[in-house]
Amino acid sequence: MTVNGVKRSVGADAETSLLHVLREDLGLKGPRFGCGAGLCGACLVLLDGYPTPSCDTPLWAAEGKDVVTVEGLGDLDSPHPLQQAFLDEQAGQCGYCLSGILISAAALLTRNPAPDEREVAEALDRNLCRCGAQRRMIRAVMRAAKEHP
């Protein structure tokens, strides 16, 4: 598989969760373990461009595919427009859910570079955040869409 633009090969069992391989074998701590059932969004990665819960995706399902984690969106020197907008809007609170939310938002902006607020809210709906920062997150996605069409 290709992870964040780099071809990777791992020796893990094919049934091992993609999340485990990303975090433990490849050292990518962005995707997080939340529910373990693919329902909370904390572990989302882009798998061939689609937001996919890595906690319940077996490694074999990623074979030959392109995997992008939040680390692959940008870095400190060159943050992705969404990452910068989340900082500018102070959209994070505890931050546990942010990697999955950024992945969902990146997928949305790839599909639809000019979403309205309803479309942003729908795209982020599968991501659980208990901190109450949803309005700031929606503002951040709208800001990224506006500033970087």
Side-chain angles (χ1 to χ4, degrees):
M1 67 184 160
T2 301
V3 180
N4 297 333
V6 178
K7 284 246 185 235
R8 303 301 294 256
S9 185
V10 293
D13 182 86
E15 292 298 323
T16 303
S17 77
L18 178 58
L19 177 63
H20 181 85
V21 169
L22 292 170
R23 290 183 60 82
E24 304 305 323
D25 297 344
L26 300 180
L28 298 167
K29 303 301 185 185
R32 303 219 169 92
F33 184 86
C35 66
L39 300 174
C40 73
C43 68
L44 287 180
V45 298
L46 295 175
L47 188 61
D48 282 347
Y50 294 96
T52 304
S54 61
C55 71
D56 67 352
T57 298
L59 184 57
W60 62 261
E63 185 176 352
K65 298 198 174 165
D66 185 40
V67 178
V68 177
T69 67
V70 70
E71 293 95 338
L73 293 180
D75 59 34
L76 289 174
D77 294 326
S78 182
H80 186 281
L82 280 164
Q83 291 167 319
Q84 188 61 55
F86 270 64
L87 290 170
D88 294 344
E89 291 292 333
Q90 299 180 2
Q93 194 158 330
C94 86
Y96 199 81
C97 65
L98 283 185
S99 59
I101 288 172
L102 286 164
I103 289 292
S104 291
L108 169 66
L109 294 184
T110 297
R111 283 192 318 274
N112 178 2
D116 61 30
E117 285 193 24
R118 181 188 54 78
E119 291 167 318
V120 172
E122 286 175 3
L124 302 184
D125 188 53
R126 76 186 286 188
N127 298 86
L128 296 181
C129 173
R130 291 191 167 83
C131 294
Q134 287 86 349
R135 292 295 318 148
R136 291 188 309 242
M137 291 177 190
I138 291 170
R139 268 197 324 267
V141 175
M142 297 298 293
R143 180 178 187 152
K146 181 180 177 185
E147 292 180 359
H148 302 278

